[in-house]
Amino acid sequence: GDASTAAVAFVIAKNFFGSAFMVTPKGFQEAGIVGGPLCLLAVYFLEARCMLNLIKCRQACGPGRRYEDMGLAVGSWFSSLITVMIVLCQFGFCCIWLVSNAANLSMVMPAWSVTQRLWIQFPVIFPLVWIRHLRLFAATNSIGIIFTIAMVMYLFFFMGDHLATNGAQPVRYINAENTDMFLWLGSCAYAYEGINIVLPTYESARNKKAIPTLLLSITAFNTCVYIAFGCLTYMALGEEVASLATLNLPKDSAQGNMIPMASVLIGLVSFPLQAFVIFQTYEPKITWSSRYLVRKWQKNAGRTLVLIFIFSATWLGGDQLQNFLGLVGGLCCASLALIFPTMLHMSICGPEGLALWIDVGVLFCGMCILVLSTVQSLASWK
């Protein structure tokens, strides 16, 4: 690869800082103002080790190896499992963006039902998923990044001003009253959603030795931002914290309309990039027409059907954002970010002594997050 260190740092920052920022306050309300950050920090340290393990596996296997390619070290079934889980993960990310957008649209269109706010996004998204070349998203990506930075800065200002004006609200330190904390565990795994780009980023970098340091430092900074915002918002609003931070803005105000709409715009331009991974997984495996125009419209039809399926699954799931987060984070992200990298490291690198016991511990923690968060997400789905 020939990407500069600065370019690689930008890609890492962009992919690891996402919509999890908006749900951190609700997570802290679910787990407590001490329990929430502790869960996030614990998952961060687990995922940090697993990101480094993935890089070690790539170094042992040689260049050009994708995540799923390295799965062959465990078995062909494991390689297929990784591929399926990556697709499910991206599918889940798409659903989460749709639910988040529908929730944000409630600030602008309060009279509309959840179904209407969901499907109104379809005519905007379906032409975007027909785009074949990622470079065409450069402009929309730039817009999304600018809006994200502006939104984060304003929300910090708003919550800080609210806290200074109204004082701190009563908060729980650790939630021992129910099992909502298990939903937050899955959301913590979702917070580091950039795990799928670790190996492509490593391959593209000119200075590969700098990648581990960049990954650890940038994700550590993101974690600090998440914790700062989560604590600030939970202290400012207490038990009134909404599922998304934008929903706590004053209704029928300029900021109560503009900030949620900015979040919706970010979601709309992010959705095609998440769906692109799904399309790239199945399209090369299908025999299409040899005629260019026919082949193009066959792929368009296939992508539209996939999109309809994503919207339908989201519609059936309702507006249960915390459950979507817990399920996707617990089932998919815990597998891809914790369990699978550890299994690969144990198979490819053959750690011994303390390193082996650490891997066993990470594997056990990953399995616990998967089971607890998935079960709680399904059991509490309304």
Side-chain angles (χ1 to χ4, degrees), residues 183 322-327 372-381:
L183 285 177
Q322 305 308 123
N323 297 76
F324 271 112
L325 288 166
L327 181 60
L372 292 174
S373 184
T374 301
V375 169
Q376 178 63 15
S377 299
L378 295 174
S380 61
W381 212 300

Side-chain angles (χ1 to χ4, degrees), residues 16 37 90 142 153 161 213 230 244 246 262 278 342 378:
F16 276 94
Q90 299 301 133
S142 299
M153 292 175 63
D161 181 67
T213 302
L244 288 170
T246 47
I278 301 175
T342 305
L378 295 174

Side-chain angles (χ1 to χ4, degrees), residues 5 12 33 47 70 74 88 90 106 173 176 199 214 230 239 256 303 312 337 347 362 367 381:
T5 301
I12 293 173
I33 201 164
E47 296 216 19
M70 294 194 300
V74 178
L88 283 177
Q90 299 301 133
S106 69
Y173 290 99
L199 291 179
L214 286 176
E239 296 303 311
R303 293 185 176 199
S312 299
S347 298
V362 172
M367 292 296 295
W381 212 300

Side-chain angles (χ1 to χ4, degrees), residues 23-41 171-175 184 188 223 225-235 239 241 322:
V23 302
T24 304
K26 182 64 176 179
F28 285 13
Q29 185 256 334
E30 290 174 336
I33 201 164
V34 175
L38 285 179
C39 287
L40 189 61
L41 283 171
V171 297
R172 289 180 291 186
Y173 290 99
I174 293 179
N175 179 17
W184 174 235
C188 289
T223 303
V225 173
Y226 288 163
I227 291 174
F229 182 69
C231 289
L232 174 65
T233 304
Y234 186 27
M235 289 175 63
E239 296 303 311
V241 167
Q322 305 308 123

Side-chain angles (χ1 to χ4, degrees), residues 52-377:
L52 298 183
N53 281 350
L54 270 182
I55 292 176
K56 289 177 183 177
C57 291
R58 151 60 183 81
Q59 291 169 340
C61 291
R65 298 298 183 92
R66 298 175 302 168
Y67 195 169
E68 53 267 42
D69 295 334
M70 294 194 300
L72 293 171
V74 178
S76 58
W77 65 271
F78 192 60
S79 178
S80 300
L81 179 61
I82 292 175
T83 302
V84 169
M85 202 58 72
I86 289 174
V87 171
L88 283 177
C89 189
Q90 299 301 133
F91 182 91
F93 290 167
C94 290
C95 293
I96 289 170
W97 273 119
L98 292 177
V99 175
S100 300
N101 283 353
N104 276 310
L105 285 172
S106 69
M107 296 288 286
V108 185
M109 306 167 178
W112 287 32
S113 67
V114 175
T115 300
Q116 290 172 316
R117 297 195 305 269
L118 169 67
W119 286 96
I120 192 63
Q121 302 171 66
F122 187 85
V124 179
I125 292 176
F126 94 83
L128 295 178
V129 300
W130 290 357
I131 295 175
R132 303 284 190 276
H133 304 291
L134 287 179
R135 67 176 182 273
L136 298 178
F137 289 109
T140 56
N141 259 344
S142 299
I143 294 172
I145 292 167
I146 293 169
F147 273 67
T148 299
I149 294 172
M151 185 171 62
V152 167
M153 292 175 63
Y154 179 79
L155 286 171
F156 262 109
F157 166 78
F158 176 83
M159 297 303 173
D161 181 67
H162 192 283
L163 179 62
T165 303
N166 300 287
Q169 302 300 308
V171 297
R172 289 180 291 186
Y173 290 99
I174 293 179
N175 179 17
E177 299 174 6
N178 52 52
T179 53
D180 285 350
M181 183 183 288
F182 296 153
L183 285 177
W184 174 235
L185 273 176
S187 299
C188 289
Y190 167 78
Y192 302 97
E193 57 191 271
I195 187 69
N196 291 336
I197 62 100
V198 169
L199 291 179
T201 301
Y202 183 82
E203 291 291 344
S204 67
R206 184 187 308 133
N207 180 13
K208 290 180 169 48
K209 292 182 179 179
I211 299 303
T213 302
L214 286 176
L215 279 170
L216 294 182
S217 57
I218 292 172
T219 51
F221 175 78
N222 286 352
T223 303
C224 291
V225 173
Y226 288 163
I227 291 174
F229 182 69
C231 289
L232 174 65
T233 304
Y234 186 27
M235 289 175 63
L237 302 174
E239 296 303 311
E240 298 301 316
V241 167
S243 58
L244 288 170
T246 47
L247 303 184
N248 282 118
L249 295 170
K251 291 180 171 59
D252 299 322
S253 64
Q255 64 268 38
N257 288 325
M258 292 174 61
I259 302 299
M261 281 305 298
S263 183
V264 170
L265 179 61
I266 294 168
L268 291 175
V269 300
S270 298
F271 185 99
L273 299 176
Q274 304 290 355
F276 189 82
V277 177
I278 301 175
F279 305 144
Q280 289 298 101
T281 302
Y282 75 81
E283 286 183 347
K285 296 178 172 59
I286 296 177
T287 302
W288 306 97
S289 172
S290 58
R291 297 168 59 188
Y292 170 74
L293 196 58
V294 175
R295 181 171 67 250
K296 176 181 177 180
W297 283 104
Q298 284 177 333
K299 290 184 177 181
N300 286 347
R303 293 185 176 199
T304 303
L305 288 174
V306 170
L307 185 63
I308 292 172
F309 183 67
I310 293 173
F311 268 80
S312 299
T314 307
W315 173 70
L316 289 173
D319 59 349
Q320 303 297 306
L321 178 59
Q322 305 308 123
N323 297 76
F324 271 112
L325 288 166
L327 181 60
V328 174
L331 180 63
C332 301
C333 296
S335 298
L336 290 168
L338 300 175
I339 299 171
F340 294 172
T342 305
M343 293 176 65
L344 289 175
H345 186 249
M346 295 170 72
S347 298
I348 295 172
C349 299
E352 299 177 350
L354 179 61
L356 176 60
W357 282 107
I358 292 175
D359 275 356
V360 171
V362 172
L363 187 63
F364 176 76
C365 291
M367 292 296 295
C368 287
I369 292 173
L370 185 153
V371 173
L372 292 174
S373 184
T374 301
V375 169
Q376 178 63 15
S377 299

